[in-house]
Amino acid sequence: MPVIAALAMPPSRQPPALPQRSALLAGPRGDFTSSIADNHRRSEPSTTRHHEGYDELHEFDQLIDDVRCALPARVDACVSFVLFENDRQEVINAIAQVRSRTVTTHVVIIDNSVPPMDLSFAAAMGATVVATNQNIGYGRGHNIALAASRGRCRYNIVMNTDLQTQDDVIGGMVAFMDRHGDAGLAMPRVRYPDGSLQRLCRLLPDPADIVARRLLHRTKWGQEKNRQYEFHNWNYDTVAEFPFLSGCFMILRRETLDQVGYFDERYFLYAEDLDLSRRIRAVSRTLYNPDETVVHEYRSKARPSLKRVRYAMVSLSKYFFKWGWIVDPERDRINRAAIEQFR
């Protein structure tokens, strides 16, 4: 497979919205994607801004067309990875382990590294490789694969490269979704490398949950708040429904994505999985499958940094501005339903 490169844009300008997505990204409470095009239409015809915006949209239109042309006509699952200066061996392992004995798959790699990595080895392994020539963000990167694979797969799988899968997890998760036709999103059991459980099935957060986790996690109140947020009263051994499933491994029904849209690109890093989980939960079930297991290194927790904290706080602020900080009746209703299933 060839390496597909996007033309570099000046670093001072934000990359444009991906094409054909005005109804496919932000969901019912966000029209920012369509507003980009609308702003250009409202501009005076002679302005430079109009022509620059058109060129940017055309550039990404062409990029997605190029990716689409490189994809197989039809597979069961299109698996996407977004890279930023990743270890070569980790990428090799990630590609190799998504091959399935029972379903057909294709890998799309979006490289946000600057300069781009040498991923000729990935192309030689059969992956479609996209070099963006700039760090366009995690959700926006995956959206290239999601947009390009429309009509080419039954499921999209969004994965981190620091996952280790076991015993054809991909085939198992596809079979799980086939059995649960009312599910739009699912995730497997996730463990740390030492075998302990990662509690990644969660409630929709309110600001108090964030304060409890980030600032007051050593207090009795903070610990109790987090126990409810992560369902510590449940053993993670049964199929169950949760409004927020982690983006480290998401299997997404293609028809559901076409209905609710892709990742909201306002989130550069973090909260994009929360937002998409919530939008999918509004139209279908979001399920946890205990019968399949992946091992997750969880680098963001193992290697905390001020930059990561800043990204998280900015993204969570955008999330609360979108859905509501204190007053969010929909969040309260959805969380009550999730808690009630264990009573």
Side-chain angles (χ1 to χ4, degrees):
M1 292 287 179
V3 176
I4 301 167
L7 298 176
M9 286 181 277
S12 62
R13 287 164 51 196
Q14 293 293 321
L18 299 182
Q20 301 174 350
R21 302 168 308 163
S22 60
L24 289 177
L25 282 169
R29 298 204 186 185
D31 59 355
F32 77 104
T33 47
S34 59
S35 71
I36 294 175
D38 291 342
N39 286 339
H40 291 315
R41 286 195 292 270
R42 287 194 294 267
S43 301
E44 294 182 9
S46 60
T47 61
T48 303
R49 177 187 174 198
H50 173 89
H51 296 295
E52 287 180 349
Y54 175 83
D55 290 343
E56 292 174 358
L57 289 171
H58 177 74
E59 178 177 298
F60 269 76
D61 274 336
Q62 186 60 56
L63 172 62
I64 290 180
D65 286 344
D66 291 344
V67 176
R68 185 175 178 81
C69 289
L71 298 181
R74 190 71 175 174
V75 294
D76 291 309
C78 179
V79 184
S80 55
F81 298 100
V82 171
L83 310 184
F84 184 76
E85 300 177 355
N86 293 62
D87 176 73
R88 173 191 171 100
Q89 189 59 50
E90 180 178 278
V91 178
I92 292 173
N93 294 343
I95 297 171
Q97 67 187 354
V98 301
R99 293 169 180 159
S100 170
R101 300 184 302 272
T102 57
V103 298
T104 55
T105 62
H106 185 75
V107 173
V108 179
I109 292 179
I110 299 89
D111 180 21
N112 282 346
S113 307
V114 183
M117 299 171 59
D118 179 4
L119 293 171
S120 56
F121 66 89
M125 295 176 70
T128 297
V129 178
V130 183
T132 61
N133 293 314
Q134 57 192 304
N135 190 355
I136 62 175
Y138 183 80
R140 185 184 286 265
H142 278 295
N143 280 352
I144 293 174
L146 299 181
S149 61
R150 189 178 190 187
R152 299 293 184 93
C153 59
R154 297 195 296 125
Y155 300 104
N156 284 91
I157 300 178
V158 170
M159 291 179 62
N160 287 3
T161 56
D162 61 346
L163 290 177
Q164 300 171 34
T165 65
Q166 304 169 359
D167 301 325
D168 196 4
V169 167
I170 301 297
M173 291 301 295
V174 167
F176 177 83
M177 292 292 282
D178 286 343
R179 294 193 302 270
H180 296 82
D182 57 350
L185 164 65
M187 70 169 290
R189 185 196 304 266
V190 183
R191 294 193 180 277
Y192 289 104
D194 65 4
S196 59
L197 181 69
Q198 290 188 26
R199 296 183 177 274
L200 298 180
C201 299
R202 298 168 177 171
L203 295 172
L204 297 178
D206 59 30
D209 290 312
I210 306 306
V211 171
R213 289 171 62 80
R214 296 283 179 176
L215 301 176
L216 301 177
H217 56 280
R218 295 182 180 179
T219 67
K220 183 177 180 180
W221 174 82
Q223 291 170 1
E224 184 57 35
K225 187 76 172 165
N226 195 54
R227 285 179 61 83
Q228 181 183 50
Y229 178 65
E230 294 183 338
F231 292 90
H232 283 243
N233 63 330
W234 172 62
N235 59 17
Y236 275 70
D237 284 340
T238 57
V239 174
E241 185 170 2
F242 300 92
F244 174 19
L245 298 177
S246 169
C248 72
F249 187 114
M250 306 176 90
I251 181 167
L252 304 147
R253 191 178 301 277
R254 187 66 233 190
E255 291 89 343
T256 306
L257 277 178
D258 293 340
Q259 180 179 0
V260 306
Y262 310 147
F263 287 112
D264 186 329
E265 295 175 2
R266 278 175 288 196
Y267 311 112
F268 179 80
L269 184 65
Y270 303 122
E272 68 285 312
D273 52 353
L274 164 61
D275 183 272
L276 183 57
S277 291
R278 178 168 183 163
R279 286 187 280 125
I280 292 175
R281 171 60 178 76
V283 300
S284 68
R285 301 181 74 194
T286 49
L287 297 179
Y288 164 80
N289 176 16
D291 296 329
E292 302 295 338
T293 300
V294 298
V295 175
H296 184 207
E297 186 176 330
Y298 209 163
R299 289 204 193 101
S300 62
K301 187 171 183 178
R303 307 173 194 170
S305 69
L306 289 177
K307 179 182 286 189
R308 288 181 183 273
V309 171
R310 186 176 74 249
Y311 282 143
M313 292 299 99
V314 169
S315 290
L316 286 166
S317 295
K318 291 178 179 179
Y319 171 83
F320 289 126
F321 275 118
K322 176 178 178 178
W323 295 100
W325 286 80
I326 305 301
V327 179
D328 186 352
E330 183 182 70
R331 173 185 64 207
D332 299 338
R333 176 184 58 80
I334 291 172
N335 284 348
R336 280 196 303 269
I339 293 171
E340 285 296 324
Q341 70 184 316
F342 299 113
R343 289 180 176 172

